[in-house]
Amino acid sequence: MTQKRRNRGRNKKGRGHVKPVRCSNCGRCVPKDKAVKRFMVRNMVETAAIRDIQEASAIEDYRLPKLYIKMQYCISCAVHAHIVRVRSREGRRIRENPMAIRRRAQAGNNNRRDN
């Protein structure tokens, strides 16, 4: 049988079955190893109210707590929300993190500018 990806779009390897999780966006059941997972860090308060709260606060240099949420998306929602991208056949073979590739390219450009 032909396959589109080396890992068949999952991170299961030797396990026969994994528990499903619910997509944070649409609620679809997705296997936990297939879901696209992102850790979202946000301020608890919107930016418009941060200054008002800091001015009203009795404690100087008080840092507002952040909200830490693990988001789990099904593939269709992750593609629709531009969290992951559809890649070409050659692009699918690249297993390196795209951010690492981007950082390496920027470091190369910075070195060229110095010379």
Side-chain angles (χ1 to χ4, degrees):
M1 191 171 114
T2 59
Q3 61 183 21
K4 202 168 184 180
R5 287 168 186 81
R6 179 177 164 183
N7 61 3
R8 296 178 177 83
R10 299 184 69 160
N11 191 21
K12 190 163 61 93
K13 302 306 176 217
R15 290 176 280 279
H17 183 263
V18 290
K19 297 273 186 192
V21 295
R22 293 303 203 137
C23 174
S24 300
N25 192 34
C26 68
R28 174 185 280 170
C29 266
V30 191
K32 185 179 180 192
D33 60 329
K34 187 172 188 169
V36 177
K37 295 172 261 315
R38 294 292 182 268
F39 205 66
M40 188 171 68
V41 181
R42 282 192 344 213
N43 287 325
M44 281 190 168
V45 185
E46 64 271 2
T47 53
I50 288 177
R51 191 179 58 199
D52 297 336
I53 292 171
Q54 285 177 343
E55 288 174 358
S57 176
I59 304 167
E60 286 189 34
D61 299 331
Y62 177 72
R63 295 184 55 84
L64 287 169
K66 293 193 177 289
L67 195 62
Y68 298 93
I69 307 169
K70 186 172 186 181
M71 304 295 282
Q72 296 175 326
Y73 299 98
C74 64
I75 298 298
S76 56
C77 287
V79 170
H80 182 72
H82 305 292
I83 295 163
V84 292
R85 290 185 176 164
V86 178
R87 296 191 288 174
S88 66
R89 185 174 291 189
E90 292 80 30
R92 281 185 226 129
R93 296 180 188 277
I94 301 170
R95 294 171 60 85
E96 197 171 350
N97 186 350
M99 292 302 288
I101 295 170
R102 191 178 296 163
R103 278 191 221 113
R104 195 176 316 127
Q106 287 177 348
N109 290 339
N110 290 342
N111 290 341
R112 288 184 201 150
R113 290 179 190 157
D114 293 340
N115 293 334

